[in-house]
Amino acid sequence: MACLSHLQLQKFQEDGFLVLEGFFSADECTAMQQRIGEIVAGMDVPPHLRTEFSTQEEEQLRAQGSTDYFLSSGDKVRFFFEKGVFDERALHAHDAVFRRVTHSPKVQALARSLGLQRPVVVQSMYIFKQPHIGGEVSPHQDASFLYTEPLGRVLGMWIALEDATLENGCLWFIPGSHTSGVSRRMVRAPAGSVPGTSFLGSEPVRDNSLFVPTPVQRGALVLIHGEVVHKSECNLSDCSRHVYTFHLMEASGTIWSPENCGPLPLPQAPANTRAALPRAVHLEV
């Protein structure tokens, strides 16, 4: 299960996404949900730091662009609120439960079967899409926010900790849309600027009929190419849709854009930085 077959790899290369049902067990999903419950129970986020996360350009610049809380979040556990949803970043680095999942042998085997030579974990989130209030995530490409040169070096791993259905906000993809480059980039503005970010390019209007719904069961892992266009709808159901997701980058021969929001802890980072992020930089393969 952890290693992709030739047909699975071909489908991923053609579509830009791939569903692997049953990748994680019910016990593994429960462990992550229980742990996030403990973290949330102990969280203390001052009101002025309750930043919203959005893929909508105007909302993003308004809510995030002027705060260092967002811009410096790449290697820290921080809370972001988005239309009734909030997520936490850098769990792969700072929490033992999520670190074990992120660096599990089956994830390592999956990375090997995808041909990754020096994968590093650049970002992770636990996403709460709560009943009736879980917000829409508009069409976007992950590489708009995690930009590399060359492109094609970022891979999302999206883990359903609960069933993701049409009613509670499953993912929707435009198959094959990962082959046309990146439409826009979110970049840091010059130091001291307000807002602290801006966008290069713009998100085109997408034909809604091109999107394909991708409902999955609890424990599924969805591979997401960094340039594939995807979205999710509002959760208007009675059921939540919890997800743990993280992104890998192939570090070999890749330049992580210094204009990205959040630093990449590279292998040549100072020793104290590496010690603060145990196994968060390199994914063993």
Side-chain angles (χ1 to χ4, degrees), residues 11 23 37 46 59 88 128 157 162 165-166 169 184 194 242:
K11 184 168 179 57
F23 194 89
E59 290 181 358
E88 296 187 68
F128 301 77
M157 295 199 175
E162 298 176 313
T165 67
L166 290 172
R184 63 170 182 158
V194 177
H242 286 199

Side-chain angles (χ1 to χ4, degrees), residues 137-158:
V137 177
S138 59
H140 67 284
Q141 299 167 288
D142 291 345
S144 292
F145 309 94
L146 306 171
Y147 189 80
T148 64
E149 295 180 358
L151 288 171
R153 301 303 181 96
V154 171
L155 172 70
M157 295 199 175
W158 191 96

Side-chain angles (χ1 to χ4, degrees), residues 23 34 49 61 100 123 143 145 195-196 230 238 247-248 272 282:
F23 194 89
Q34 289 179 343
L49 294 180
L61 295 180
R100 281 196 299 271
Q123 181 259 9
F145 309 94
H230 58 291
D238 295 328
H247 285 84
L248 300 179
N272 61 339
H282 299 284

Side-chain angles (χ1 to χ4, degrees), residues 2-223:
C3 293
L4 297 183
S5 68
H6 174 73
L7 290 178
Q8 287 175 318
L9 185 58
Q10 183 179 31
K11 184 168 179 57
F12 176 67
Q13 291 170 341
E14 291 175 354
D15 293 344
F17 68 97
L18 181 70
V19 174
L20 300 175
E21 289 283 6
F23 194 89
F24 288 95
S25 68
D27 287 345
E28 289 171 313
C29 292
T30 297
M32 286 185 272
Q33 289 179 290
Q34 289 179 343
R35 179 58 187 142
I36 206 69
E38 296 168 357
I39 294 173
V40 170
M43 79 175 189
D44 181 18
V45 183
H48 71 286
L49 294 180
R50 294 187 179 185
T51 303
E52 291 185 355
F53 182 84
S54 173
T55 55
Q56 292 277 9
E57 183 167 336
E58 290 185 4
E59 290 181 358
Q60 189 143 45
L61 295 180
R62 181 177 65 250
Q64 299 170 9
S66 61
T67 174
D68 286 339
Y69 188 77
F70 170 71
L71 294 177
S72 62
S73 66
D75 58 352
K76 303 173 181 65
V77 176
R78 289 193 167 166
F79 298 86
F80 296 86
F81 299 77
E82 183 266 323
K83 296 179 181 177
V85 185
F86 62 91
D87 61 60
E88 296 187 68
R89 297 190 167 200
L91 290 166
H92 67 276
H94 297 292
D95 184 83
V97 171
F98 290 96
R99 191 162 59 243
R100 281 196 299 271
V101 169
T102 307
H103 299 275
S104 64
K106 55 190 167 186
V107 170
Q108 295 173 22
L110 179 59
R112 282 194 297 270
S113 70
L114 287 162
L116 300 181
Q117 301 298 312
R118 294 179 59 215
V120 296
V121 185
V122 296
Q123 181 259 9
S124 63
M125 294 187 292
Y126 190 103
I127 303 173
F128 301 77
K129 205 173 183 77
Q130 300 295 66
H132 304 293
I133 60 172
E136 169 195 10
V137 177
S138 59
H140 67 284
Q141 299 167 288
D142 291 345
S144 292
F145 309 94
L146 306 171
Y147 189 80
T148 64
E149 295 180 358
L151 288 171
R153 301 303 181 96
V154 171
L155 172 70
M157 295 199 175
W158 191 96
I159 303 163
L161 303 183
E162 298 176 313
D163 291 350
T165 67
L166 290 172
E167 293 75 27
N168 72 0
C170 69
L171 293 172
W172 294 66
F173 291 93
I174 299 181
S177 57
H178 61 300
T179 61
S180 302
V182 175
S183 300
R184 63 170 182 158
R185 287 180 56 197
M186 183 179 182
V187 298
R188 288 175 178 265
S193 300
V194 177
T197 59
S198 62
F199 279 90
L200 303 178
S202 60
E203 198 70 38
V205 176
R206 311 280 186 183
D207 182 347
N208 206 45
S209 68
L210 298 176
F211 284 92
V212 174
T214 312
V216 296
Q217 295 181 338
R218 186 187 195 203
L221 184 149
V222 184
L223 295 176

